[in-house]
Amino acid sequence: MDVKVTTLAGKEAGKVALSDAIFGLEPREDIIHRVIRWQLAKRQQGTHKTKGRAEIARTGAKMYRQKGTGRARHSSARVPQFRGGGRAHGPVVRSHAHDLPKKVRALGLKHALSAKARADQLIVLDDLSFADGKTKALVDSFAKLGLSNALMIGGNEIDAGFKRAAANIPNVDVLPVQGINVYDILRRGTLVLSKSAVEALEERFK
């Protein structure tokens, strides 16, 4: 699959051949869903907590005598039936993470990349470098490319000027190629890859 390469100024800079094994698959929603669910579950904090009856600071004495009151046979005031008592089967601090095979994770990334390519939401830039470092100038460059909601993937190192200029632009994320992931790809409207990112991805899945 041949895709034209453009510059930040919106000019053509040749073509690049994308591997069909990475960018030409028929996207499968079930695999993409599994990977996104794994990603989101892994980053959940899991710090939710309620107190059980054993953690409530109340007297352990019997509330009132067993017989003769005409009321139910209660013992502890810490039980869930009473206001201020412990909660039954409440949430506890835990990890929500679950396992997902490496091959499925890799396949999910390929399908996400293929989905963007198939939907014509993939742009390849010759380089993500910006000497000016000014946000306003970068916004003008994005306007020429028609970018308002995008994920920008650079090489192993992101140019400092480009990163600084893009930091204040809403709905634009900038990541090195090591940080590419399925959730961020699908969260943004357009996927923008640098030539070095394309090379790194093809080397990774070789």
PDB file of all heavy atoms in Angstrom, residues 53 56 58-64 73-82 85:
ATOM      1  N   ARG A  53     -17.986  -4.720  58.787  1.00  0.00           N
ATOM      2  CA  ARG A  53     -18.411  -4.661  60.186  1.00  0.00           C
ATOM      3  C   ARG A  53     -17.230  -4.829  61.145  1.00  0.00           C
ATOM      4  O   ARG A  53     -17.250  -4.296  62.251  1.00  0.00           O
ATOM      5  CB  ARG A  53     -19.487  -5.699  60.474  1.00  0.00           C
ATOM      6  CG  ARG A  53     -19.080  -7.136  60.258  1.00  0.00           C
ATOM      7  CD  ARG A  53     -20.224  -8.084  60.550  1.00  0.00           C
ATOM      8  NE  ARG A  53     -20.545  -8.117  61.972  1.00  0.00           N
ATOM      9  CZ  ARG A  53     -21.474  -8.897  62.511  1.00  0.00           C
ATOM     10  NH1 ARG A  53     -22.182  -9.710  61.727  1.00  0.00           N
ATOM     11  NH2 ARG A  53     -21.701  -8.895  63.804  1.00  0.00           N
ATOM     12  N   ILE A  56     -15.581  -1.252  61.950  1.00  0.00           N
ATOM     13  CA  ILE A  56     -16.366  -0.182  62.546  1.00  0.00           C
ATOM     14  C   ILE A  56     -16.023  -0.046  64.034  1.00  0.00           C
ATOM     15  O   ILE A  56     -15.961  -1.033  64.761  1.00  0.00           O
ATOM     16  CB  ILE A  56     -17.880  -0.458  62.372  1.00  0.00           C
ATOM     17  CG1 ILE A  56     -18.245  -0.500  60.890  1.00  0.00           C
ATOM     18  CG2 ILE A  56     -18.707   0.583  63.104  1.00  0.00           C
ATOM     19  CD1 ILE A  56     -18.035   0.800  60.169  1.00  0.00           C
ATOM     20  N   ARG A  58     -17.292   0.567  67.151  1.00  0.00           N
ATOM     21  CA  ARG A  58     -18.469   0.607  68.021  1.00  0.00           C
ATOM     22  C   ARG A  58     -18.320  -0.455  69.090  1.00  0.00           C
ATOM     23  O   ARG A  58     -17.547  -1.400  68.935  1.00  0.00           O
ATOM     24  CB  ARG A  58     -19.753   0.350  67.218  1.00  0.00           C
ATOM     25  CG  ARG A  58     -20.331   1.565  66.533  1.00  0.00           C
ATOM     26  CD  ARG A  58     -21.684   1.245  65.945  1.00  0.00           C
ATOM     27  NE  ARG A  58     -22.322   2.448  65.423  1.00  0.00           N
ATOM     28  CZ  ARG A  58     -23.518   2.456  64.858  1.00  0.00           C
ATOM     29  NH1 ARG A  58     -24.204   1.325  64.754  1.00  0.00           N
ATOM     30  NH2 ARG A  58     -24.047   3.580  64.420  1.00  0.00           N
ATOM     31  N   THR A  59     -19.076  -0.323  70.127  1.00  0.00           N
ATOM     32  CA  THR A  59     -19.009  -1.297  71.204  1.00  0.00           C
ATOM     33  C   THR A  59     -19.415  -2.681  70.720  1.00  0.00           C
ATOM     34  O   THR A  59     -20.242  -2.816  69.813  1.00  0.00           O
ATOM     35  CB  THR A  59     -19.936  -0.880  72.368  1.00  0.00           C
ATOM     36  OG1 THR A  59     -19.895  -1.888  73.371  1.00  0.00           O
ATOM     37  CG2 THR A  59     -21.359  -0.709  71.899  1.00  0.00           C
ATOM     38  N   GLY A  60     -18.838  -3.661  71.306  1.00  0.00           N
ATOM     39  CA  GLY A  60     -19.179  -5.030  70.964  1.00  0.00           C
ATOM     40  C   GLY A  60     -20.234  -5.617  71.889  1.00  0.00           C
ATOM     41  O   GLY A  60     -20.604  -6.781  71.768  1.00  0.00           O
ATOM     42  N   ALA A  61     -20.741  -4.781  72.823  1.00  0.00           N
ATOM     43  CA  ALA A  61     -21.739  -5.287  73.778  1.00  0.00           C
ATOM     44  C   ALA A  61     -23.076  -5.536  73.083  1.00  0.00           C
ATOM     45  O   ALA A  61     -23.419  -4.863  72.103  1.00  0.00           O
ATOM     46  CB  ALA A  61     -21.930  -4.280  74.908  1.00  0.00           C
ATOM     47  N   LYS A  62     -23.822  -6.471  73.605  1.00  0.00           N
ATOM     48  CA  LYS A  62     -25.152  -6.770  73.060  1.00  0.00           C
ATOM     49  C   LYS A  62     -26.044  -5.540  73.229  1.00  0.00           C
ATOM     50  O   LYS A  62     -26.023  -4.883  74.270  1.00  0.00           O
ATOM     51  CB  LYS A  62     -25.749  -7.982  73.787  1.00  0.00           C
ATOM     52  CG  LYS A  62     -27.035  -8.506  73.193  1.00  0.00           C
ATOM     53  CD  LYS A  62     -27.394  -9.819  73.859  1.00  0.00           C
ATOM     54  CE  LYS A  62     -28.777 -10.298  73.436  1.00  0.00           C
ATOM     55  NZ  LYS A  62     -28.842 -10.648  72.015  1.00  0.00           N
ATOM     56  N   MET A  63     -26.822  -5.220  72.188  1.00  0.00           N
ATOM     57  CA  MET A  63     -27.582  -3.977  72.169  1.00  0.00           C
ATOM     58  C   MET A  63     -28.641  -3.913  73.280  1.00  0.00           C
ATOM     59  O   MET A  63     -28.788  -2.891  73.945  1.00  0.00           O
ATOM     60  CB  MET A  63     -28.267  -3.811  70.812  1.00  0.00           C
ATOM     61  CG  MET A  63     -27.296  -3.654  69.660  1.00  0.00           C
ATOM     62  SD  MET A  63     -28.139  -3.454  68.093  1.00  0.00           S
ATOM     63  CE  MET A  63     -28.885  -1.841  68.320  1.00  0.00           C
ATOM     64  N   TYR A  64     -29.377  -4.992  73.460  1.00  0.00           N
ATOM     65  CA  TYR A  64     -30.386  -5.089  74.522  1.00  0.00           C
ATOM     66  C   TYR A  64     -30.631  -6.561  74.780  1.00  0.00           C
ATOM     67  O   TYR A  64     -30.174  -7.418  74.023  1.00  0.00           O
ATOM     68  CB  TYR A  64     -31.681  -4.359  74.155  1.00  0.00           C
ATOM     69  CG  TYR A  64     -32.154  -4.569  72.735  1.00  0.00           C
ATOM     70  CD1 TYR A  64     -32.774  -5.772  72.353  1.00  0.00           C
ATOM     71  CD2 TYR A  64     -31.986  -3.589  71.755  1.00  0.00           C
ATOM     72  CE1 TYR A  64     -33.189  -5.979  71.058  1.00  0.00           C
ATOM     73  CE2 TYR A  64     -32.415  -3.787  70.444  1.00  0.00           C
ATOM     74  CZ  TYR A  64     -33.018  -4.974  70.103  1.00  0.00           C
ATOM     75  OH  TYR A  64     -33.447  -5.192  68.822  1.00  0.00           O
ATOM     76  N   ARG A  73     -33.967 -10.097  67.549  1.00  0.00           N
ATOM     77  CA  ARG A  73     -32.848 -10.561  68.378  1.00  0.00           C
ATOM     78  C   ARG A  73     -31.524 -10.032  67.829  1.00  0.00           C
ATOM     79  O   ARG A  73     -30.794 -10.734  67.135  1.00  0.00           O
ATOM     80  CB  ARG A  73     -32.849 -12.088  68.412  1.00  0.00           C
ATOM     81  CG  ARG A  73     -34.102 -12.653  69.068  1.00  0.00           C
ATOM     82  CD  ARG A  73     -34.172 -14.153  68.960  1.00  0.00           C
ATOM     83  NE  ARG A  73     -34.367 -14.589  67.578  1.00  0.00           N
ATOM     84  CZ  ARG A  73     -34.493 -15.856  67.186  1.00  0.00           C
ATOM     85  NH1 ARG A  73     -34.413 -16.820  68.103  1.00  0.00           N
ATOM     86  NH2 ARG A  73     -34.680 -16.170  65.945  1.00  0.00           N
ATOM     87  N   HIS A  74     -31.221  -8.766  68.101  1.00  0.00           N
ATOM     88  CA  HIS A  74     -29.975  -8.167  67.623  1.00  0.00           C
ATOM     89  C   HIS A  74     -28.870  -8.349  68.650  1.00  0.00           C
ATOM     90  O   HIS A  74     -29.118  -8.389  69.852  1.00  0.00           O
ATOM     91  CB  HIS A  74     -30.167  -6.678  67.347  1.00  0.00           C
ATOM     92  CG  HIS A  74     -30.939  -6.415  66.092  1.00  0.00           C
ATOM     93  ND1 HIS A  74     -30.530  -6.867  64.853  1.00  0.00           N
ATOM     94  CD2 HIS A  74     -32.120  -5.766  65.881  1.00  0.00           C
ATOM     95  CE1 HIS A  74     -31.405  -6.504  63.941  1.00  0.00           C
ATOM     96  NE2 HIS A  74     -32.381  -5.843  64.535  1.00  0.00           N
ATOM     97  N   SER A  75     -27.644  -8.406  68.111  1.00  0.00           N
ATOM     98  CA  SER A  75     -26.493  -8.491  68.998  1.00  0.00           C
ATOM     99  C   SER A  75     -25.597  -7.272  68.818  1.00  0.00           C
ATOM    100  O   SER A  75     -25.510  -6.416  69.690  1.00  0.00           O
ATOM    101  CB  SER A  75     -25.696  -9.769  68.715  1.00  0.00           C
ATOM    102  OG  SER A  75     -24.511  -9.781  69.466  1.00  0.00           O
ATOM    103  N   SER A  76     -24.945  -7.143  67.658  1.00  0.00           N
ATOM    104  CA  SER A  76     -23.957  -6.090  67.443  1.00  0.00           C
ATOM    105  C   SER A  76     -24.571  -4.889  66.704  1.00  0.00           C
ATOM    106  O   SER A  76     -25.402  -5.051  65.820  1.00  0.00           O
ATOM    107  CB  SER A  76     -22.782  -6.632  66.618  1.00  0.00           C
ATOM    108  OG  SER A  76     -21.889  -5.606  66.274  1.00  0.00           O
ATOM    109  N   ALA A  77     -24.115  -3.695  67.063  1.00  0.00           N
ATOM    110  CA  ALA A  77     -24.553  -2.473  66.369  1.00  0.00           C
ATOM    111  C   ALA A  77     -23.694  -2.203  65.128  1.00  0.00           C
ATOM    112  O   ALA A  77     -23.921  -1.230  64.421  1.00  0.00           O
ATOM    113  CB  ALA A  77     -24.469  -1.287  67.320  1.00  0.00           C
ATOM    114  N   ARG A  78     -22.712  -3.066  64.877  1.00  0.00           N
ATOM    115  CA  ARG A  78     -21.816  -2.867  63.735  1.00  0.00           C
ATOM    116  C   ARG A  78     -22.353  -3.487  62.443  1.00  0.00           C
ATOM    117  O   ARG A  78     -21.748  -3.328  61.391  1.00  0.00           O
ATOM    118  CB  ARG A  78     -20.451  -3.498  64.023  1.00  0.00           C
ATOM    119  CG  ARG A  78     -19.754  -2.944  65.240  1.00  0.00           C
ATOM    120  CD  ARG A  78     -18.547  -3.798  65.554  1.00  0.00           C
ATOM    121  NE  ARG A  78     -17.862  -3.351  66.761  1.00  0.00           N
ATOM    122  CZ  ARG A  78     -17.007  -4.097  67.438  1.00  0.00           C
ATOM    123  NH1 ARG A  78     -16.751  -5.327  67.022  1.00  0.00           N
ATOM    124  NH2 ARG A  78     -16.428  -3.627  68.508  1.00  0.00           N
ATOM    125  N   VAL A  79     -23.450  -4.199  62.526  1.00  0.00           N
ATOM    126  CA  VAL A  79     -23.938  -4.942  61.373  1.00  0.00           C
ATOM    127  C   VAL A  79     -24.517  -3.990  60.313  1.00  0.00           C
ATOM    128  O   VAL A  79     -24.900  -2.852  60.630  1.00  0.00           O
ATOM    129  CB  VAL A  79     -24.998  -5.988  61.792  1.00  0.00           C
ATOM    130  CG1 VAL A  79     -24.374  -7.070  62.649  1.00  0.00           C
ATOM    131  CG2 VAL A  79     -26.145  -5.312  62.516  1.00  0.00           C
ATOM    132  N   PRO A  80     -24.623  -4.427  59.063  1.00  0.00           N
ATOM    133  CA  PRO A  80     -25.070  -3.541  57.973  1.00  0.00           C
ATOM    134  C   PRO A  80     -26.494  -3.028  58.114  1.00  0.00           C
ATOM    135  O   PRO A  80     -26.846  -2.018  57.501  1.00  0.00           O
ATOM    136  CB  PRO A  80     -24.947  -4.428  56.733  1.00  0.00           C
ATOM    137  CG  PRO A  80     -23.963  -5.484  57.098  1.00  0.00           C
ATOM    138  CD  PRO A  80     -24.155  -5.722  58.552  1.00  0.00           C
ATOM    139  N   GLN A  81     -27.337  -3.681  58.920  1.00  0.00           N
ATOM    140  CA  GLN A  81     -28.731  -3.241  59.030  1.00  0.00           C
ATOM    141  C   GLN A  81     -28.864  -1.853  59.655  1.00  0.00           C
ATOM    142  O   GLN A  81     -29.839  -1.151  59.420  1.00  0.00           O
ATOM    143  CB  GLN A  81     -29.549  -4.221  59.892  1.00  0.00           C
ATOM    144  CG  GLN A  81     -29.763  -5.573  59.255  1.00  0.00           C
ATOM    145  CD  GLN A  81     -28.734  -6.571  59.745  1.00  0.00           C
ATOM    146  OE1 GLN A  81     -27.556  -6.291  59.698  1.00  0.00           O
ATOM    147  NE2 GLN A  81     -29.207  -7.723  60.199  1.00  0.00           N
ATOM    148  N   PHE A  82     -27.873  -1.469  60.471  1.00  0.00           N
ATOM    149  CA  PHE A  82     -27.987  -0.219  61.210  1.00  0.00           C
ATOM    150  C   PHE A  82     -27.183   0.904  60.550  1.00  0.00           C
ATOM    151  O   PHE A  82     -26.129   0.673  59.965  1.00  0.00           O
ATOM    152  CB  PHE A  82     -27.510  -0.409  62.660  1.00  0.00           C
ATOM    153  CG  PHE A  82     -28.340  -1.382  63.424  1.00  0.00           C
ATOM    154  CD1 PHE A  82     -27.834  -2.608  63.788  1.00  0.00           C
ATOM    155  CD2 PHE A  82     -29.653  -1.084  63.757  1.00  0.00           C
ATOM    156  CE1 PHE A  82     -28.594  -3.519  64.493  1.00  0.00           C
ATOM    157  CE2 PHE A  82     -30.423  -1.982  64.455  1.00  0.00           C
ATOM    158  CZ  PHE A  82     -29.909  -3.204  64.821  1.00  0.00           C
ATOM    159  N   GLY A  85     -23.321   1.248  60.529  1.00  0.00           N
ATOM    160  CA  GLY A  85     -22.721  -0.077  60.559  1.00  0.00           C
ATOM    161  C   GLY A  85     -21.855  -0.318  59.322  1.00  0.00           C
ATOM    162  O   GLY A  85     -21.785   0.508  58.411  1.00  0.00           O
TER     163      GLY A  85
END
